[in-house]
Amino acid sequence: KSGVPYASVNLRTFKGVYSHDDGGASSTAEAATLQLEYKYLSKLTGEVDYWEKAEKVMEVLDNNGAKDGLVPIYVYAQTGTFRGDNIRLGSRGDSYYEYLIKQYLQTNEPIYKDMWNEALNGVRKHLITYSEPSGFTVLGERQGGLNGILTPKMDHLVCFMPGTIALAATGALSEAEAKKSGEW
């Protein structure tokens, strides 16, 4: 009903199925991971339905009270409200953040550049910590939300972030072209 997809689909009945785990909520990353493909499919077919479905998911997530651009890793498909407070860039959160700048680069819709910039500032403000004793940068987790403690845990799925930041910084141009463009 909300526009957020269910965690699974029963291919026999063609009906959405609540997650059997996670309190019935869908993963925020999974709900926000097909936007590029759906928008491109709309462009190729001329059918706006795919675009509208992709936009609806992003609208629901954006209107759901993100704090400093950061969102919890679960969302209920029925209501479109977030489940819990767990915020992380790794599993269940990764694609949401990665696709913000990619949607902007694909569509040139300023809302996605704004959402990316807000999320990146939120990452800087709330998720960066450093390992001890080496001092390596770690993009941690806030399992209890932004008011909870910062856990210096960084799973392998967070590895998308440096490349995504580079993609945003260059505007998807080569480094040399980006430096010439004036956007660098």
Side-chain angles (χ1 to χ4, degrees):
K1 292 181 180 179
S2 72
V4 172
Y6 288 103
S8 299
V9 174
N10 181 321
L11 295 177
R12 181 175 299 187
T13 64
F14 300 106
K15 299 216 183 254
V17 179
Y18 295 105
S19 173
H20 63 281
D21 203 8
D22 310 319
S26 297
S27 158
T28 302
E30 290 173 356
T33 199
L34 294 174
Q35 279 58 33
L36 299 176
E37 293 84 354
Y38 269 47
K39 289 177 178 183
Y40 191 58
L41 190 57
S42 278
K43 180 179 178 175
L44 292 176
T45 65
E47 297 178 30
V48 298
D49 191 45
Y50 303 111
W51 186 289
E52 290 170 353
K53 298 285 188 209
E55 284 291 295
K56 180 63 177 172
V57 172
M58 297 309 296
E59 177 186 326
V60 169
L61 295 176
D62 188 35
N63 291 338
N64 208 342
K67 294 179 181 119
D68 291 333
L70 303 176
V71 299
I73 60 170
Y74 294 108
V75 59
Y76 289 111
Q78 279 295 99
T79 62
T81 57
F82 289 120
R83 174 187 173 262
D85 297 314
N86 194 337
I87 294 174
R88 65 178 178 229
L89 301 180
S91 65
R92 310 276 185 199
D94 54 342
S95 294
Y96 170 79
Y97 300 100
E98 179 181 0
Y99 277 36
L100 293 175
I101 193 62
K102 289 181 177 180
Q103 284 186 82
Y104 169 70
L105 293 170
Q106 181 190 46
T107 67
N108 210 29
E109 293 176 274
I111 181 76
Y112 294 112
K113 186 175 185 181
D114 294 345
M115 289 171 72
W116 163 256
N117 286 331
E118 186 178 3
L120 190 58
N121 286 329
V123 167
R124 286 183 185 131
K125 182 176 178 182
H126 299 287
L127 299 181
I128 292 180
T129 189
Y130 301 93
S131 69
E132 293 180 14
S134 303
F136 295 128
T137 303
V138 175
L139 298 175
E141 299 180 358
R142 295 263 182 190
Q143 297 167 354
L146 296 183
N147 294 323
I149 62 166
L150 176 60
T151 305
K153 175 186 172 289
M154 184 171 150
D155 71 42
H156 68 287
L157 293 175
V158 182
C159 292
F160 80 91
M161 197 60 167
T164 304
I165 292 170
L167 183 68
T170 62
L173 299 172
S174 71
E175 182 181 349
E177 291 174 55
K179 285 180 177 178
K180 291 179 195 172
S181 75
E183 294 292 316
W184 183 257

